[in-house]
C-alpha cells in the first residue's frame, strides 16, 4: 500500500492541496495554487509545504509530537477564514477521497480497498489531532481578544491596582 | 461573454469596412471622411478630457513615497523614488512614463525544494507592457514616412534599423513582430490568469482586439497583399495637405486598416486608453514630497467647526485646576 | 454523481467517471454576486450619540445584517450628488476613476486578499465597486451601454457592499506603489467612506474615537486630570526601573517644544513603555518641552472619516502651539498621525508662521525639510542626537533583544522615513535583522488593523490580514532568533501584538524609544537591572 501511495505521491499531494484551498473563492484558489512566494502568498505556500510533509508523515507513521506543529500551521490558517470549524478541518478528510481517486485505476487489485481502509485509520488519527489543533486556535483567538482588551487599558488597570492574574495567561513561549 | 462581445464588435467593424470599400467602393467615405472625423474626435476628445482633469483642483499633496525622504544631511535620500523638488518629481514621472518604473517593482522571493529562499522577480507584465508601448511608438514613427515628403532622415534611419534582420522582402520589421507578440501576451494574460480575467471588462478586451487587428492588417498589407505603396502615400499626403485623394490604386484591405485606426482614434478619448494622458496628472506620482518644507494650498479650503481651547477649558476647568494644570482664566 | 458504483467500491472513485474539481474562476460576473456579510469581517455601526455629538447625519440604530439599513429616503440622490461634488474637488478621485486599465499589477498586493482570498479585496476590484457606479452615472458610454461599458445600477446592495469592503481596507497604500499610474486605493476608500457618511453608514470603532477626540483632545477620552495621573504613574515606574525621577510638564506656557504623540501611548500596552521612553529621553537631554491636555492626541481618526473631520480634529495642534507660545512641535511614534502631519496639516490648518524652523537645542541642527510645517518626527530628532554623540548609550543593555523593524505603512509610503529608525535601532541594539526585502520599506505589509479596523468584532479578518506581515516575522524568528518586533506606530503596537500572539507567539512588539531608553545610560541612574517593563535585562535575561 505504502509503495503504491509513494509512487503517486506528487499527484496525491497536488490534488490534496487543491481540495484544501477550495474553501477559498475560486479565483483566490487559483492565486493560492500558482504564486510560489512565501511572502506574497503565505497561505498557498504554507498549505502546499505542510500538506506535503503531512502526507509523508502518514506514510512513515511519524509520531504525533512531530506532526502536530506542522499540522498547526495549516489549521492556524483555516481557523481564521470565518468558515466554521468543520470546514477548517475538512481538508484532512478530503485526503481519503483524493487517495481513492488516485488508486482507482488499480481497482482490479482485490485487496486494495482493505488496505485503503487501513491507511484511512491513520488519516482518522490525523483528523483527531486536527480537531484538537482547531479548538486550540479558536481558544487562542478568544484569549487574544481578552488580552487585547486588557492591553488597551493597561495603564488604567495598573493605576487602579487591578489584579488580573485570573485573566488568561500569556502562552508559553510568549515574551522571549 | 465579455470577451465575445468585444470580439464580435471588432469582426463587425472589419465586415463594415470590407463591405464599404471592397463591395460598395466607398473610398471617399472610408479614406477621407471617417479619418478626418476620427481625428477631429481624437484631438477634441483628448483635449477635452485632459482640460477637464486639469480643471479639477489638487487640494492636498499626497505623493506615494517609495524611497528615503530628504531629512537629515547625513542620510542619503532617494530623489527618484521620493522627490523633494519639482525637477526630481519630473524625473520620477519620466522613469514612470518611459520605463514603467512601478511595474518593475514586482519582485518576489521563491522557495525552492528544501526551503531555500531565492530572490526572483515577476517582471513579465512589465516586459510585455514596455515592449508593446515602445514598439507601438516605433511603428507610429515609421508611419510618418507616408505623411511626409521628403521623408525626414531620422524616420528612414529608424525604418532601416528596424528592418535590420533582413528577413523577407520587404524586410520584416522587428517592431511589428514584437508588437504583435506583446499584444498577444497581454491578451493571453487576460484570458489565462485567473485574477486578471476576473477583473477584465469588455473595455479591456476591445482595445486589445482592435490593436491586434490593426497590426495584423498592417502586416498583411506589407507582406502578403503588397499593396501599391504610392497609392497609399497619395491618400496619406492628401489627408495631411487637406487635398483628399481617393487613392484608387490601394487595396481594399488598406481601407480596413485605415478604418480600424480611425475607430481607435475615435474610441481613444472615451476609453481607458486615456491613461496616456492621465498618468501625467496622477497626484500620487507627479508631486514632490516636500509638504513640510513648502506649504500646499487647497483652493477650495473652507472654515470648519472646531472645538476651541476656550470651550475645552470651560468644560474641564475644575478638573484642570484639581490636577494643577495651568489655566488661561482662573 | 453519475456513477453506478457505491462509495465502498473503488470504481466510485474512477476519475474517468467523475468530473474533476473545477478551479477556474467562477463563470459569474462579480457584479452579479451579492455581498455576503460574514460575522468576523464587519465592524459594528456607530452609536447615535457619537454621530450627534460630532454632528454627522442620520444617527439611528441599525445593524449590518439587518435587511433595512434605514437610509434616508433620497439616499440615491445624496450619493450621486456626493460623488459629483467630490469628482469636482479632488483630481485624484476623478483621474483614478478614469484611467485604470485593470492590468492586475495590484491584484495580489493587498494583505487582506493574500490572507483571506476574497476577490473583492483585490485593490482594483475595491476601486471598481465605485467605478462601476461612476461609469453608469457620470460617463456617456456607461449611461448608454450600461453593463457593456462596465457600469451598474446603484442599489441598496451596492451601499452594503461598499460598507463591507471599504471597511476592509486599511488605507495602507501598498497597492499604489505597484500601480503604473499610482492609483491610490486609500484615496478611493476615503471617498467611499465619505459617501457612506452622508447616509449615516459608519462604524463605532472610528466614530467613538472621533467624538472623544473632538471633546477631550484624544481618542480615548482621557480627561486632563487623568492624563496628569497617567504621566505621574509612568514617572513612578521609570523611577523604579532607573532610579531617576523625571517630570512630564503639561500645558506649560513658554516651553520651547510642544510634544504631541498618539494617545494610545498613554493607555495601551506596549505603547505606554514607548511613552516612558520619550519622557526619559527628554529628561536626560534636558529638553524644554511640554505635553498638552488639549492637543493630547496626534492621531486623527478623522483621516478615516472624511477630509472635513480630519481638519476639525487636527486644528487643535497649531492652536495649542500658538496658545502655549512654543517655538516648534515634536511628534511621537505614530503612523496615520504622520500621514496627516506630513501631507495634510499645513494645508488644512497652516500656515504656521508663528512658529520657528525646528532646531535641535543640543546639536544646533536646523530641520530645513520641516521649515514650513514646523513639526518633526521624533526619530529624526533622536537620530540627530545619536549622530552627534549626545546620548550615552549602552546597547548591551538590550542584548536579550533580537529585533526586526516593521515599517509602518504611513511613515513608509506617505513620508519615506526609512533610515532614521534603522539608524537608531542599530545604535541601541546589537542584534538587528531585516525582514525579507519585499516585505519592508515601501513594500511593507500592513498590520491589518489600520484605518480604524483595529477592533475586536473583526478579529478573524485582522488575523488574516496580518498574516503576510507575520510570515515575514516568523521567517526572521526562525532564521535569526528574532524575538522583538519594533514599530513606530501606536496602532501597530496594539494590533501587531495581537497578530504576533496568534501567528508567532515567540515575538513581542516594542516601540523604538522604548529600546532607546533601555539602552540609555542616564545621569544619576542606579545600576540598571530591569527595563521599563520591569523585566530583567541584558545578558542575564537571555535564556
Amino acid at each position: 500500500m505504502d509503495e503504491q501511495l509513494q509512487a503517486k505521491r506528487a499527484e496525491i499531494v497536488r490534488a490534496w492541496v487543491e481540495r484544501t484551498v477550495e474553501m477559498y473563492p475560486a479565483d483566490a484558489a487559483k492565486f493560492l495554487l500558482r504564486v510560489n512566494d512565501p511572502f506574497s502568498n503565505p497561505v498557498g505556500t504554507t498549505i502546499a509545504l505542510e500538506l506535503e510533509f503531512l502526507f509523508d508523515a502518514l506514510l512513515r507513521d511519524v509520531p504525533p509530537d512531530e506532526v502536530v506543529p506542522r499540522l498547526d500551521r495549516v489549521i492556524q490558517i483555516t481557523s481564521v477564514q470565518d468558515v466554521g470549524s468543520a470546514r477548517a478541518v475538512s481538508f484532512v478528510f478530503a485526503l481519503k477521497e483524493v487517495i481513492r481517486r488516485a488508486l482507482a485505476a488499480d481497482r482490479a487489485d482485490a485487496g486494495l480497498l482493505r488496505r485503503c481502509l487501513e491507511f484511512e485509520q491513520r488519516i482518522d488519527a490525523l483528523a483527531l489531532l486536527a480537531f484538537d489543533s482547531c479548538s486550540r486556535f479558536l481558544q487562542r483567538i478568544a484569549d487574544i481578544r481578552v488580552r487585547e482588551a486588557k492591553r488597551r487599558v493597561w495603564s488604567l488597570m495598573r493605576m487602579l491596582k487591578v489584579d488580573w492574574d485570573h485573566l488568561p495567561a500569556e502562552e508559553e513561549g510568549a515574551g522571549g | 461573454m465579455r470577451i465575445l462581445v468585444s470580439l464580435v464588435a471588432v469582426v463587425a467593424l472589419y465586415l463594415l469596412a470590407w463591405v464599404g470599400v471592397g463591395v460598395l467602393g466607398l473610398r471617399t467615405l472610408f479614406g477621407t471622411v471617417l479619418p478626418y472625423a476620427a481625428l477631429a474626435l481624437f484631438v477634441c476628445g483628448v483635449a477635452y478630457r485632459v482640460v477637464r482633469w486639469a480643471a479639477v483642483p489638487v487640494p492636498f499633496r499626497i505623493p506615494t513615497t517609495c524611497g528615503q525622504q530628504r531629512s537629515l544631511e547625513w542620510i542619503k535620500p532617494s530623489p527618484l523614488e521620493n522627490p523633494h523638488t519639482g525637477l526630481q518629481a519630473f524625473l520620477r514621472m519620466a522613469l514612470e512614463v518611459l520605463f514603467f518604473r512601478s511595474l518593475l517593482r514586482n519582485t518576489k522571493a521563491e522557495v525552492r525544494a528544501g526551503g531555500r529562499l531565492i530572490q526572483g522577480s515577476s517582471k513579465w507584465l512589465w516586459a510585455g507592457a514596455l515592449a508593446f508601448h515602445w514598439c507601438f511608438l516605433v511603428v507610429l514613427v515609421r508611419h510618418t514616412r507616408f505623411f511626409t515628403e521628403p521623408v525626414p532622415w531620422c524616420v528612414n534611419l529608424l525604418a532601416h534599423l528596424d528592418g535590420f534582420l533582413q528577413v523577407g522582402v520587404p524586410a520584416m520589421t522587428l517592431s511589428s513582430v514584437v508588437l504583435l507578440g506583446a499584444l498577444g501576451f497581454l491578451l493571453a494574460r487576460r484570458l489565462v490568469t485567473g485574477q486578471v480575467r476576473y477583473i477584465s471588462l469588455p473595455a479591456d478586451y476591445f482595445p486589445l482586439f482592435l490593436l491586434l487587428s490593426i497590426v495584423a492588417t498592417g502586416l498583411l498589407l506589407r507582406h502578403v497583399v503588397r499593396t501599391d505603396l504610392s497609392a497609399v502615400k497619395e491618400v496619406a499626403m492628401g489627408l495631411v495637405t487637406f487635398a483628399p485623394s481617393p487613392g484608387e490604386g490601394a487595396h481594399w484591405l488598406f481601407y480596413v486598416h485605415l478604418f480600424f485606426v480611425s475607430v481607435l482614434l475615435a474610441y481613444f478619448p472615451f476609453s481607458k486608453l486615456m491613461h496616456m494622458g492621465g498618468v501625467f496628472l496622477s497626484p500620487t506620482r507627479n508631486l514632490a514630497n516636500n509638504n513640510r518644507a513648502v506649504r500646499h494650498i487647497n483652493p477650495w479650503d473652507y472654515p470648519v467647526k472646531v472645538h476651541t481651547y476656550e470651550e475645552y477649558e470651560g468644560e474641564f476647568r475644575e478638573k484642570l485646576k484639581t490636577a494643577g494644570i495651568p489655566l488661561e482664566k482662573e | 454523481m453519475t456513477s453506478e458504483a457505491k462509495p465502498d467500491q473503488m470504481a466510485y472513485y474512477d476519475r474517468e467517471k467523475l468530473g474533476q474539481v473545477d478551479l477556474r474562476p467562477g463563470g459569474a460576473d462579480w457584479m452579479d454576486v451579492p455581498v455576503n456579510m460574514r460575522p468576523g469581517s464587519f465592524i459594528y455601526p456607530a452609536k447615535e450619540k457619537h454621530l450627534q455629538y460630532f454632528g454627522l447625519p442620520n444617527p439611528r440604530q441599525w445593524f449590518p445584517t439587518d435587511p433595512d439599513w434605514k437610509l434616508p429616503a433620497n439616499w440615491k440622490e445624496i450619493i450621486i450628488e456626493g460623488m459629483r461634488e467630490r469628482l469636482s474637488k479632488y483630481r485624484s478621485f476623478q483621474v483614478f476613476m478614469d484611467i485604470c486599465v485593470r492590468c492586475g499589477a495590484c491584484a495580489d498586493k493587498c494583505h487582506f486578499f493574500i490572507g483571506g482570498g476574497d476577490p473583492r479585496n483585490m485593490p482594483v476590484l475595491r476601486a471598481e465597486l465605485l467605478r462601476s457606479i461612476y461609469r453608469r452615472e457620470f460617463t456617456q458610454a456607461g449611461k448608454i451601454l450600461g453593463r457593456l461599458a462596465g457600469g451598474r445600477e446603484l442599489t441598496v446592495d451596492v451601499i452594503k457592499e461598499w460598507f463591507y469592503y471599504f471597511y476592509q481596507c486599511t488605507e495602507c497604500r501598498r497597492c499604489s506603489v505597484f500601480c503604473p499610474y499610482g492609483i491610490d486605493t486609500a484615496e478611493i476608500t476615503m471617498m467611499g467612506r465619505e459617501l457612506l457618511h452622508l447616509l449615516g453608514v459608519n462604524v463605532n470603532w472610528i466614530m467613538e474615537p472621533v467624538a472623544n477626540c473632538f471633546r477631550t483632545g484624544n481618542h480615548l477620552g482621557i480627561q486632563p486630570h487623568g492624563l496628569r495621573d497617567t504621566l505621574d504613574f509612568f514617572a513612578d515606574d521609570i523611577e523604579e526601573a532607573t532610579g531617576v525621577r523625571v517630570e512630564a510638564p503639561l500645558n506649560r506656557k513658554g516651553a520651547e517644544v510642544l510634544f504631541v504623540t498618539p494617545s494610545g501611548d498613554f493607555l495601551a500596552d506596549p505603547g505606554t513603555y514607548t511613552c516612558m521612553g520619550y519622557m526619559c529621553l527628554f529628561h536626560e537631554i534636558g529638553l524644554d518641552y511640554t505635553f498638552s491636555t488639549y492637543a493630547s492626541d496626534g492621531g486623527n481618526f478623522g483621516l478615516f472619516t472624511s477630509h472635513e473631520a480630519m481638519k476639525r480634529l487636527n486644528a487643535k495642534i497649531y492652536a495649542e502651539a500658538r496658545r502655549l507660545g512654543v517655538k516648534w512641535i515634536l511628534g511621537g511614534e505614530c503612523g496615520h498621525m504622520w500621514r496627516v502631519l506630513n501631507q495634510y496639516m499645513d494645508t488644512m490648518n497652516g500656515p504656521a508662521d508663528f512658529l520657528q524652523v525646528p532646531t535641535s537645542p543640543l546639536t544646533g541642527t536646523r530641520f530645513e525639510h520641516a521649515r514650513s510645517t514646523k513639526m518633526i518626527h521624533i526619530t529624526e530628532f533622536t537620530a540627530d542626537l545619536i549622530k552627534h554623540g549626545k546620548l550615552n548609550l549602552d546597547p548591551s543593555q538590550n542584548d536579550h533583544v533580537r529585533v526586526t523593524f516593521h515599517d509602518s505603512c504611513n511613515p513608509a509610503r506617505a513620508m519615506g522615513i526609512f533610515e532614521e529608525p534603522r539608524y537608531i535601532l542599530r545604535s541601541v541594539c546589537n542584534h538587528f535583522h531585516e525582514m525579507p526585502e519585499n516585505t519592508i520599506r515601501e513594500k511593507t505589509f500592513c498590520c491589518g488593523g489600520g484605518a480604524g479596523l483595529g477592533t475586536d468584532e473583526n478579529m478573524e479578518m485582522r488575523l488574516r490580514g496580518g498574516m503576510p506581515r507575520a510570515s515575514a516575522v516568523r521567517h526572521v524568528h526562525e532564521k535569526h532568533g528574532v524575538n522583538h518586533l519594533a514599530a513606530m506606530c501606536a496602532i501597530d503596537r496594539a494590533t501587531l501584538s495581537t497578530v504576533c500572539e496568534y501567528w508567532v507567539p515567540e515575538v513581542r512588539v516594542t516601540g523604538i524609544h522604548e529600546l532607546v531608553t533601555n539602552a540609555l545610560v542616564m545621569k544619576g541612574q542606579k545600576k540598571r537591572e530591569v527595563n521599563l517593563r520591569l523585566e530583567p535585562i541584558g545578558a542575564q535575561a537571555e535564556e
Side-chain angles (χ1 to χ4, degrees):
Chain A
M1 180 67 189
D2 288 1
E3 295 75 55
Q4 273 167 300
L5 291 175
Q6 186 67 45
K8 300 201 168 177
R9 178 177 173 277
E11 179 194 336
I12 291 172
V13 170
R14 192 171 58 244
W16 193 20
V17 172
E18 283 176 5
R19 288 295 306 272
T20 304
V21 299
E22 263 177 57
M23 74 175 62
Y24 286 88
D27 14 80
K30 199 95 177 171
F31 163 76
L32 296 173
L33 292 175
R34 291 179 48 147
V35 178
N36 183 23
D37 174 342
F39 305 112
S40 296
N41 178 17
V43 173
T45 46
T46 306
I47 289 176
L49 196 71
E50 302 307 338
L51 292 194
E52 189 175 2
F53 173 88
L54 291 175
F55 182 66
D56 289 345
L58 286 170
L59 285 179
R60 291 185 286 116
D61 224 357
V62 171
D65 54 332
E66 280 178 49
V67 172
V68 169
R70 308 294 291 266
L71 180 64
D72 274 359
R73 293 211 167 177
V74 182
I75 304 278
Q76 197 174 20
I77 292 170
T78 59
S79 299
V80 290
Q81 301 303 328
D82 288 332
V83 292
S85 37
R87 287 192 70 188
V89 297
S90 64
F91 72 94
V92 179
F93 297 95
L95 180 60
K96 292 187 181 184
E97 191 178 331
V98 166
I99 286 179
R100 289 189 179 199
R101 281 196 193 185
L103 298 180
D106 304 333
R107 64 176 175 279
D109 179 347
L112 183 64
L113 186 61
R114 186 182 51 78
R115 293 201 302 279
C116 250
L117 290 172
E118 279 168 16
F119 188 79
E120 284 175 8
Q121 288 199 321
R122 296 186 208 168
I123 299 180
D124 290 338
L126 186 67
L128 292 177
L129 293 178
F131 280 124
D132 258 0
S133 169
C134 184
S135 53
R136 222 167 340 118
F137 282 113
L138 295 183
Q139 185 58 46
R140 191 187 278 189
I141 295 172
D143 289 351
I144 281 173
R145 275 208 170 89
V146 175
R147 281 209 296 274
E148 189 178 85
K150 207 171 84 176
R151 274 202 307 273
R152 265 181 207 145
V153 291
W154 179 88
S155 67
L156 191 66
M157 300 279 272
R158 287 204 48 200
M159 281 162 68
L160 295 170
K161 311 273 185 270
V162 171
D163 169 25
W164 53 32
D165 281 348
H166 63 283
L167 291 171
E170 306 248 330
E171 283 190 35
E172 278 176 54
Chain B
M1 179 58 196
R2 293 163 163 184
I3 306 159
L4 204 65
V5 168
S6 316
L7 192 61
V8 166
V10 175
V11 172
L13 290 173
Y14 170 82
L15 290 175
L16 198 66
W18 174 64
V19 172
V21 180
V23 179
L24 303 175
L26 302 171
R27 281 169 193 258
T28 313
L29 177 66
F30 283 87
T32 308
V33 179
L34 288 179
Y36 273 136
L39 194 68
L41 257 177
F42 175 79
V43 173
C44 300
V46 168
Y48 172 73
R49 291 294 295 273
V50 171
V51 167
R52 248 194 58 177
W53 280 335
V56 182
V58 180
F60 303 105
R61 200 190 277 142
I62 51 165
T64 316
T65 58
C66 300
Q68 172 62 38
Q69 65 168 358
R70 198 177 94 175
S71 57
L72 296 162
E73 253 169 36
W74 47 275
I75 291 178
K76 195 170 166 287
S78 336
L80 293 179
E81 304 286 13
N82 190 344
H84 190 76
T85 64
L87 177 67
Q88 290 167 357
F90 176 81
L91 292 175
R92 182 189 198 193
M93 282 303 295
L95 271 185
E96 200 65 79
V97 172
L98 299 176
F99 301 109
F100 304 173
R101 173 73 186 95
S102 293
L103 284 180
L104 191 58
R105 263 181 235 285
N106 268 342
T107 56
K108 54 176 55 171
E110 279 179 51
V111 163
R112 295 272 170 83
R116 216 159 67 84
L117 198 70
I118 313 227
Q119 291 288 337
S121 64
S122 153
K123 304 202 188 318
W124 284 105
L125 174 59
W126 172 78
L130 202 64
F132 162 70
H133 284 87
W134 276 106
C135 289
F136 194 75
L137 181 67
V138 170
V139 170
L140 218 59
V141 172
R142 266 204 290 110
H143 274 68
T144 55
R145 72 196 166 103
F146 292 114
F147 298 97
T148 46
E149 191 59 56
V151 179
W153 63 270
C154 48
V155 173
N156 278 327
L157 180 69
L158 182 72
H160 181 70
L161 290 175
D162 204 0
F164 83 101
L165 286 181
Q166 304 285 338
V167 180
V169 180
M172 186 72 96
T173 50
L174 193 62
S175 56
S176 322
V177 178
V178 178
L179 183 58
L180 197 65
L183 277 168
F185 166 75
L186 292 177
L187 179 63
R189 210 181 140 264
R190 270 199 199 280
L191 296 175
V192 176
T193 310
Q195 309 155 32
V196 189
R197 181 163 171 160
Y198 187 80
I199 58 179
S200 295
L201 297 173
D204 299 312
Y205 295 111
F206 178 70
L208 277 173
F209 286 129
L210 191 61
L211 283 163
L212 272 170
S213 309
I214 291 173
V215 179
T217 48
L219 283 171
L220 283 175
L221 281 170
R222 184 177 165 100
H223 299 288
V224 180
V225 176
R226 306 251 181 109
T227 187
D228 180 1
L229 285 182
S230 56
V232 170
K233 180 135 190 176
E234 198 184 306
V235 176
M237 288 305 293
L239 286 173
V240 288
T241 55
F242 295 101
S245 150
E248 293 298 337
H251 192 274
W252 61 266
L253 192 65
F254 163 71
Y255 290 93
V256 176
H257 184 68
L258 190 60
F259 181 57
F260 278 143
V261 174
S262 305
V263 171
L264 183 70
L265 285 175
Y267 175 71
F268 197 98
F270 308 101
S271 71
K272 70 165 193 176
L273 302 178
M274 276 306 291
H275 67 262
M276 185 187 88
V279 62
F280 292 97
L281 291 167
S282 179
T284 56
R285 287 286 187 276
N286 69 3
L287 292 167
N289 174 40
N290 56 359
N291 299 279
R292 282 194 284 157
V294 182
R295 183 164 183 251
H296 183 83
I297 305 292
N298 175 1
W300 50 259
D301 194 26
Y302 58 93
V304 295
K305 184 176 180 300
V306 299
H307 192 61
T308 63
Y309 178 79
E310 289 66 34
E311 290 166 322
Y312 171 84
E313 187 176 296
E315 181 172 356
F316 295 108
R317 180 174 315 280
E318 285 313 309
K319 288 163 178 169
L320 285 158
K321 209 185 271 177
T322 321
I325 298 167
L327 293 166
E328 285 286 319
K329 283 186 284 190
E330 285 303 326
Chain C
M1 301 289 164
T2 52
S3 170
E4 296 290 309
K6 298 281 185 299
D8 60 348
Q9 296 169 321
M10 287 308 286
Y12 179 83
Y13 299 93
D14 193 335
R15 61 172 63 243
E16 302 302 318
K17 291 187 180 149
L18 280 172
Q20 279 282 313
V21 181
D22 187 6
L23 276 175
R24 281 170 304 171
D29 193 318
W30 64 264
M31 291 186 196
D32 295 326
V33 182
V35 58
N36 172 21
M37 295 254 175
R38 293 194 298 184
S41 296
F42 62 74
I43 305 177
Y44 299 157
K47 295 193 180 110
E48 294 150 279
K49 58 176 180 183
H50 302 311
L51 297 190
Q52 279 155 355
Y53 183 80
F54 198 64
L56 290 182
N58 203 17
R60 72 207 180 285
Q61 280 212 324
W62 64 286
F63 200 74
T65 48
D66 290 347
D68 180 10
W69 282 17
K70 302 178 195 165
L71 302 179
N74 60 339
W75 66 269
K76 204 164 172 173
E77 203 180 305
I78 294 174
I79 291 287
I80 302 293
E81 276 318 303
M83 279 183 87
R84 192 187 312 284
E85 184 194 338
R86 281 159 187 79
L87 286 166
S88 69
K89 281 167 102 176
Y90 298 88
R91 189 184 294 168
S92 53
F93 189 33
Q94 174 69 59
V95 169
F96 295 163
M97 283 296 104
D98 282 325
I99 62 172
C100 176
V101 299
R102 287 163 296 280
C103 70
C106 62
D108 52 1
K109 303 300 183 286
C110 174
H111 49 285
F112 284 122
F113 176 69
I114 295 172
D118 186 333
R120 269 175 266 201
N121 274 331
M122 293 191 271
V124 45
L125 217 61
R126 202 185 305 282
E128 288 288 314
L129 301 180
L130 264 177
R131 247 182 233 128
S132 54
I133 304 302
Y134 165 76
R135 287 193 205 101
R136 179 78 169 66
E137 302 290 341
F138 294 94
T139 68
Q140 286 307 323
K143 279 178 191 164
I144 299 163
L145 295 172
R147 193 65 173 266
L148 264 184
R152 67 170 167 163
E153 184 95 29
L154 178 58
T155 63
V156 174
D157 281 340
V158 170
I159 298 297
K160 292 183 175 183
E161 187 185 41
W162 283 2
F163 171 75
Y164 191 63
Y165 289 103
F166 289 137
Y167 287 96
Q168 286 194 49
C169 168
T170 50
E171 303 181 359
C172 80
R173 308 176 103 207
R174 186 170 193 263
C175 46
S176 168
V177 166
F178 296 92
C179 174
Y181 318 118
I183 296 175
D184 182 3
T185 306
E187 203 68 6
I188 305 278
T189 297
M190 286 162 79
M191 293 304 160
R193 290 185 180 183
E194 282 203 11
L195 293 171
L196 290 172
H197 273 287
L198 300 176
L199 306 180
V201 174
N202 27 37
V203 301
N204 201 56
W205 186 251
I206 295 174
M207 292 324 299
E208 183 171 327
V210 164
N212 279 341
C213 202
F214 195 64
R215 174 166 173 253
T216 63
N218 62 77
H219 293 143
L220 302 168
I222 306 172
Q223 299 185 16
H225 56 307
L227 189 56
R228 178 72 277 161
D229 291 349
T230 303
L231 295 179
D232 289 346
F233 183 71
F234 288 171
D236 293 345
D237 265 11
I238 291 168
E239 193 169 4
E240 192 176 342
T242 66
V244 179
R245 183 73 200 178
V246 307
E247 296 294 327
L250 271 173
N251 297 8
R252 188 164 65 82
K253 281 198 177 183
E256 183 178 355
V257 176
L258 169 64
F259 180 65
V260 178
T261 198
S263 59
D265 287 352
F266 298 136
L267 204 54
D269 174 28
T272 46
Y273 308 110
T274 302
C275 189
M276 293 180 203
Y278 309 139
M279 288 163 65
C280 293
L281 176 74
F282 299 156
H283 170 87
E284 181 60 20
I285 62 173
L287 187 70
D288 178 18
Y289 82 107
T290 181
F291 281 96
S292 160
T293 59
Y294 171 61
S296 47
D297 206 329
N300 189 331
F301 273 34
L303 173 68
F304 313 141
T305 306
S306 67
H307 287 85
E308 184 174 307
M310 187 191 338
K311 183 174 173 179
R312 288 173 68 186
L313 296 188
N314 174 259
K316 65 183 178 236
I317 295 182
Y318 279 149
E320 186 69 340
R322 190 193 290 269
R323 184 182 76 88
L324 295 175
V326 301
K327 291 189 180 146
W328 52 277
I329 313 170
L330 182 61
E333 297 179 21
C334 186
H336 77 280
M337 154 177 152
W338 271 101
R339 164 114 143 109
V340 176
L341 300 178
N342 189 47
Q343 299 199 323
Y344 295 103
M345 178 164 79
D346 204 357
T347 303
M348 286 181 162
N349 292 307
D353 44 14
F354 53 93
L355 295 172
Q356 298 172 13
V357 177
T359 305
S360 173
L362 285 100
T363 67
T365 303
R366 265 169 70 92
F367 295 89
E368 283 294 340
H369 66 290
R371 63 181 175 271
S372 174
T373 299
K374 316 287 197 310
M375 181 155 186
I376 60 168
H377 193 286
I378 188 153
T379 63
E380 294 166 345
F381 181 71
T382 305
D384 176 63
L385 288 176
I386 295 175
K387 183 74 179 176
H388 285 85
K390 297 291 178 192
L391 299 182
N392 185 3
L393 295 168
D394 176 9
S396 74
Q397 293 185 165
N398 278 326
D399 268 356
H400 60 298
V401 173
R402 304 182 79 84
V403 68
T404 190
F405 179 62
H406 162 73
D407 287 281
S408 304
C409 307
N410 285 303
R413 288 183 281 256
M415 276 181 100
I417 182 160
F418 297 125
E419 295 306 329
E420 293 87 343
R422 285 177 169 78
Y423 177 76
I424 296 174
L425 282 177
R426 287 198 181 92
S427 306
V428 302
C429 294
N430 286 322
H431 310 289
F432 171 70
H433 302 279
E434 289 277 16
M435 284 184 276
E437 186 262 342
N438 54 342
T439 71
I440 54 168
R441 297 177 186 264
E442 75 277 8
K443 293 177 199 149
T444 187
F445 274 116
C446 180
C447 62
L453 308 189
T455 179
D456 55 344
E457 59 262 29
N458 60 344
M459 181 65 80
E460 282 84 355
M461 187 189 87
R462 281 172 51 201
L463 292 174
R464 293 197 295 270
M467 194 211 175
R469 170 39 79 218
S471 304
V473 175
R474 170 135 69 194
H475 176 75
V476 283
H477 166 67
E478 286 170 355
K479 196 169 165 198
H480 304 292
V482 162
N483 55 16
H484 280 71
L485 175 65
M488 49 175 192
C489 165
I491 292 179
D492 277 332
R493 285 190 286 267
T495 61
L496 280 176
S497 295
T498 298
V499 165
C500 284
E501 271 181 19
Y502 187 75
W503 297 105
V504 213
E506 300 85 354
V507 175
R508 69 199 323 201
V509 179
T510 173
I512 308 268
H513 279 78
E514 182 185 348
L515 294 175
V516 168
T517 295
N518 282 334
L520 187 66
V521 180
M522 296 174 73
K523 288 185 277 291
Q525 71 173 25
K526 63 179 186 187
K527 187 171 183 303
R528 295 280 281 272
E529 282 163 344
V530 292
N531 61 17
L532 291 174
R533 301 189 190 200
L534 305 178
E535 298 160 346
I537 57 164
Q540 64 264 40
E542 288 195 81
E543 286 149 324

